[in-house]
């Protein structure tokens, strides 16, 4: 697999994770983030693993120009679900380089099962906090904040 490309197993696995979420099951730290598509406005869902750094919650897009990251930038809002729990959220892209580096440095400790994804993408070689922090300028980091609106009902 070339660096910066998604592994072939990812789309089928994402479908499984989303399906498990729909029936109320969850896997570890994995949540499902649903945001409106930037063109269609239709809900688009992707598994993410939020992590908390200095009391704030974040998600990381390993491919900053991937569809879900571009949808988040356009919508700036969504629903974060884990099992049957759903929360309306606002998503703000983090531009502060120090905060981005701190979030990335925390990732291999807080979300160890997600490390291989970053290795596969060619963003890091070793799962060390220092190497993850050094890759902070090659990913998109979004702060996740509770939204002041109710969660939309499921369709």
């Amino acid at each position: 697999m070339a660096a910066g490309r998604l592994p072939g197993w990812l789309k089928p696995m994402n479908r499984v994770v989303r399906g498990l979420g729909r029936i109320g099951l969850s896997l570890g730290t994995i949540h499902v983030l649903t945001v409106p598509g930037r063109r269609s406005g239709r809900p688009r869902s992707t598994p993410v693993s939020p992590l908390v750094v200095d009391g704030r919650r974040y998600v990381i897009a390993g491919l900053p120009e991937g569809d879900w990251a571009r949808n988040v930038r356009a919508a700036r809002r969504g629903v974060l679900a884990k099992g049957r729990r759903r929360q309306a959220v606002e998503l703000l892209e983090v531009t502060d380089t120090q905060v981005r580096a701190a979030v990335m440095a925390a990732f291999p400790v807080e979300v160890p099962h997600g490390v291989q994804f970053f290795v596969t993408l060619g963003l890091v070689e070793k799962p060390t906090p220092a190497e993850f922090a050094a890759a902070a300028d090659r990913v998109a980091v979004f702060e996740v904040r509770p939204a002041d609106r109710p969660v939309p009902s499921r369709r």
Side-chain angles (χ1 to χ4, degrees):
M1 185 186 85
R5 292 199 46 214
L6 295 174
W9 53 262
L10 186 63
K11 283 189 180 187
M13 188 58 150
N14 283 351
R15 281 199 267 321
V16 168
V17 171
R18 290 190 312 259
L20 290 172
R22 279 193 294 276
I23 63 171
L25 299 175
S26 61
L27 300 170
T29 64
I30 299 173
H31 291 60
V32 175
L33 177 63
T34 303
V35 298
R38 64 191 177 283
R39 293 184 186 148
S40 69
R42 293 188 357 225
R44 302 293 183 196
S45 298
T46 191
V48 296
S49 288
L51 65 152
V52 175
V53 176
D54 293 332
R56 294 179 183 223
R57 193 162 49 160
Y58 299 92
V59 292
I60 301 169
L63 296 176
E65 294 306 317
D67 284 334
W68 83 262
R70 291 174 21 192
N71 288 340
V72 166
R73 283 188 195 102
R76 297 186 59 185
R77 63 181 171 80
V79 174
L80 193 61
K82 182 165 177 67
R84 295 191 187 278
R85 293 186 327 234
R86 297 163 45 88
Q87 178 185 29
V89 295
E90 292 179 358
L91 299 137
L92 307 170
E93 189 158 13
V94 176
T95 57
D96 182 302
T97 56
Q98 290 181 329
V99 173
R100 291 165 58 89
V103 171
M104 282 295 285
F107 190 84
V109 175
E110 299 294 320
V111 190
H113 66 272
V115 167
Q116 187 57 45
F117 181 74
F118 286 87
V119 172
T120 301
L121 287 178
L123 292 168
V124 298
E125 289 181 22
K126 298 176 184 172
T128 65
E131 193 165 331
F132 268 77
D137 63 340
R138 294 183 286 155
V139 300
V141 176
F142 299 96
E143 183 178 351
V144 180
R145 296 181 181 172
D148 295 331
R149 60 182 175 81
V151 175
S153 62
R154 289 188 179 185
R155 291 183 182 184

